[in-house]
Amino acid sequence: MEFESSRAIWLQLVQEFTGRIASGRWAPGDRIPGVRELAVELRVNPNTVQRALAELERQGLARAERTAGRFVTSDETVIDEARLSLAAEAADAYVQRARGLGLTLNSARELLARHWPTGEHS
C-alpha cells in the first residue's frame, strides 16, 4: 500500500480496512488479522494499526472480543453504508476531475458507461 504524505496514515488505514470490508475481502463475521500481522503487512507501526482498528470499532464496522480478537460486523446495513460512503468519495473525485477537464454531465455519464464492464449491473 502506498501512503499519501498529505493525510495521516491511520486515516488511510481506516479507508483501506473499510474497503476490505465493503468489498467482501473481509467478510461479515470474519476474524480481522491481528495488529502485529497487519503492521508487518503494511509496514507501519502497530500503534497506527491499533488506532485505525479502534476507529473501525467506533464506526461499528468491527467488534472486539476480549480473548478472540477483532471481527467484522455481521450488520449488513453498516457494511452497505460504508460501501456507499466509499463509492460517494470516488464519485466526488471523478466529478471534480471530469469538471476540471471541461466535460459535461452527459459526457461524463457516457464515459462512465463505456468503462463499466459489459454484463454487469446496469
Side-chain angles (χ1 to χ4, degrees), residues 34-104:
V35 170
R36 286 185 181 87
E37 182 181 343
L38 289 168
V40 168
E41 172 194 335
L42 298 163
R43 297 186 175 118
V44 297
N45 186 299
N47 292 331
T48 304
V49 172
Q50 176 63 33
R51 187 169 183 187
L53 292 173
E55 179 61 19
L56 285 185
E57 286 180 49
R58 192 192 69 71
Q59 292 178 9
L61 287 167
R63 61 181 164 71
E65 291 185 12
R66 198 169 258 203
T67 57
R70 284 189 177 87
F71 295 83
V72 175
T73 184
S74 295
D75 187 338
E76 293 284 349
T77 302
V78 173
I79 294 171
D80 286 343
E81 288 172 4
R83 185 178 297 117
L84 288 173
S85 178
L86 290 175
E89 288 175 22
D92 288 344
Y94 173 68
V95 168
Q96 188 173 19
R97 179 82 168 134
R99 289 181 81 182
L101 293 169
L103 269 65
T104 64

Side-chain angles (χ1 to χ4, degrees), residues 100-117:
L101 293 169
L103 269 65
T104 64
L105 175 59
N106 284 337
S107 296
R109 283 181 181 154
E110 288 171 14
L111 180 63
L112 181 60
R114 282 199 309 262
H115 285 268
W116 199 269

Side-chain angles (χ1 to χ4, degrees), residues 18-31:
T18 301
R20 291 180 185 191
I21 292 168
S23 69
R25 185 169 164 199
W26 289 353
D30 276 1
R31 186 177 181 286

